[in-house]
Amino acid sequence: MSSLLVDNIGELVTNGAGEGPLGIRRDAAVLVEEGKVAWVGPSASAPSADRRVDADGAAVLPGFVDSHAHLVFAGDRAAEFAARMAGQPYTGGGIRTTVGATRAATDDELRATVRRLRGEALRQGTTTMEIKSGYGLTVADEARSLRIAAEASTETTFLGAHVVPAEYADRPDDYVELVCGPMLAAAAPHAKWVDVFCEQGAFDVDHTRAILAAGQAAGLGVRIHANQLGPGPGVQLGVELDAASVDHCTHLSDADVAALVGTAHSDGSGTRTVATLLPGAEFSTRSPYPDARRLLDAGVTVALATDCNPGSSYTSSMPFCVALAVREMRMTPAEAVRAATLGGARALRRDDIGVLTPGARADLIVLDAPSYLHLAYRPGVPLIRQVLLNGVPQ
Ligand SMILES: [Zn+2]
């Protein structure tokens, strides 16, 4: 059994027992055996191991958990971005442009894009990345999108209900029937989750409910794009269906916030559903950010994710999202780092990632900095010195 010791850690974020909300330990070491954290303690009393990574006083964190990304697509929408920055509003309609390019692409072209973006994210510290379909929107194209996604992640999500494709524009009911029937049947073997873009101009509450219920019946967990472009019923529907996560949450009523209050409350009441905020989308569409303080102050579990996609948020960088969350959404650096690690794990209903405690997967990052604070304090700077994925240095 091969073991690896990461020692001389100046500041270790465990998200478990320790100082403050991040469970920080100073002058610490982490022993890794068989891909898992076997021991955490003071560096001075660390056991010996076959191999050693000297953190040299730097900060070590759990790898980022990016619980919301759209990586299976072809082409880009740089021109649409430029037009938007010149004043055109974002409507979500550009998704159809990517659908056309994706349908025309070969499997290898799609695979190359997934690998490129997954690699890009890994170099920026993302050790778990959810990947959605949603740019195929035919039975065959959704199934192949998920097959390709599953080569890069176990967290794969069927998003056949991303937008109603142009050929069904006049008969959305027929499209929903296709999604719930043959498309779901072809997608489910390669998917862990089902997701719907519940928004005006995409899918209404009845269609959303039908698709999510069909996905649940096929054994998939539920996630939902909700309340991004305006107020709507998506958040409360997600909570009602025990969605693992409701994503975006930019336009919330008091009732939406109340519905999202989590089990962290002392009486054990509340939902397990996580509110996932995607500030890269607001940044890239020049839109108002979600009110993260309102959610956190109410006791809602918050996750941060990239929403990496070619239209509304073409970033794969969790450190960038942490910096945005702190600067633009008034999260503290500790809240943002927790949301980008443990929050993402909860949004995927995983308890083996997002923490560095014995038994967890040894997914960790060594920063080129003495503290996690630098992720927000030094925006845009490549601070990820080393990544361990399942205990293996990358
Ligand atoms: Zn999305």
Side-chain angles (χ1 to χ4, degrees):
M1 184 175 67
S2 146
S3 59
L4 183 152
L5 183 72
V6 186
D7 66 356
N8 288 330
I9 301 170
E11 179 188 88
L12 174 67
V13 171
T14 67
N15 285 333
E19 172 195 319
L22 294 178
I24 286 176
R25 302 179 72 136
R26 314 263 170 207
D27 304 316
V30 175
L31 178 68
V32 175
E33 284 174 353
E34 293 188 325
K36 292 200 163 102
V37 175
W39 177 91
V40 175
S43 200
S45 55
S48 62
D50 303 328
R51 286 182 300 157
R52 174 171 174 244
V53 171
D54 183 353
D56 196 22
V60 167
L61 287 77
F64 296 119
V65 180
D66 185 354
S67 60
H68 185 137
H70 309 248
L71 303 190
V72 193
F73 63 84
D76 72 36
R77 279 150 58 194
E80 179 192 315
F81 175 77
R84 200 159 61 231
M85 292 304 106
Q88 284 183 18
Y90 177 69
T91 60
I95 292 169
R96 291 200 181 95
T97 308
T98 301
V99 170
T102 304
R103 287 176 178 176
T106 65
D107 288 8
D108 280 344
E109 285 165 344
L110 297 178
R111 190 171 281 126
T113 298
V114 170
R115 283 198 187 141
R116 174 174 64 81
L117 294 171
R118 182 66 194 91
E120 201 178 90
L122 183 65
R123 289 191 296 279
Q124 295 169 93
T126 298
T127 47
T128 302
M129 197 170 195
E130 183 256 20
I131 304 177
K132 301 176 195 296
S133 68
Y135 294 113
L137 310 188
T138 66
V139 172
D141 285 309
E142 285 297 298
R144 77 164 174 152
S145 294
L146 285 160
R147 259 197 331 269
I148 290 166
E151 294 169 9
S153 179
T154 57
E155 302 292 345
T156 53
T157 301
F158 169 47
L159 181 59
H162 197 185
V163 70
V164 176
E167 64 272 22
Y168 281 91
D170 300 331
R171 45 194 184 105
D173 290 353
D174 291 355
Y175 184 64
V176 170
E177 209 168 291
L178 176 74
V179 170
C180 293
M183 196 184 282
L184 173 63
H190 315 292
K192 181 171 173 184
W193 306 97
V194 60
D195 192 347
V196 175
F197 188 20
C198 181
E199 197 79 43
Q200 214 156 23
F203 294 87
D204 67 20
V205 68
D206 293 333
H207 286 158
T208 302
R209 181 188 291 278
I211 294 160
L212 294 178
Q216 271 179 324
L220 305 184
V222 168
R223 6 190 20 89
I224 184 169
H225 285 66
N227 302 54
Q228 175 188 5
L229 304 176
V235 163
Q236 291 186 54
L237 177 65
V239 172
E240 180 195 324
L241 296 177
D242 189 33
S245 179
V246 293
D247 295 29
H248 284 291
C249 297
T250 310
H251 297 270
L252 299 184
S253 68
D254 289 346
D256 294 331
V257 176
L260 283 167
V261 173
T263 47
H265 273 214
S266 52
D267 64 357
S269 67
T271 179
R272 294 194 293 164
T273 302
V274 172
T276 299
L277 308 182
L278 308 162
E282 279 77 31
F283 177 86
S284 301
T285 59
R286 198 177 274 148
S287 303
Y289 289 89
D291 191 344
R293 282 260 55 88
R294 183 181 176 204
L295 290 165
L296 289 162
D297 294 345
V300 174
T301 302
V302 169
L304 284 173
T306 62
D307 196 15
C308 184
N309 79 83
S312 59
S313 181
Y314 202 7
T315 180
S316 56
S317 173
M318 289 294 281
F320 174 64
C321 294
V322 166
L324 282 184
V326 172
R327 173 61 183 81
E328 301 294 335
M329 302 201 297
R330 297 171 190 276
M331 291 171 73
T332 66
E335 286 168 340
V337 165
R338 190 175 161 92
T341 52
L342 187 61
R346 292 206 173 136
L348 295 171
R349 299 248 159 111
R350 295 274 298 269
D351 54 17
D352 60 330
I353 54 176
V355 292
L356 289 176
T357 51
R361 267 177 67 115
D363 289 349
L364 64 83
I365 53 188
V366 183
L367 294 188
D368 247 333
S371 169
Y372 74 88
L373 291 168
H374 286 231
L375 289 166
Y377 171 50
R378 307 201 62 216
V381 177
L383 291 179
I384 311 300
R385 182 194 298 169
Q386 184 154 36
V387 180
L388 262 63
L389 184 63
N390 218 6
V392 179
Q394 300 298 295

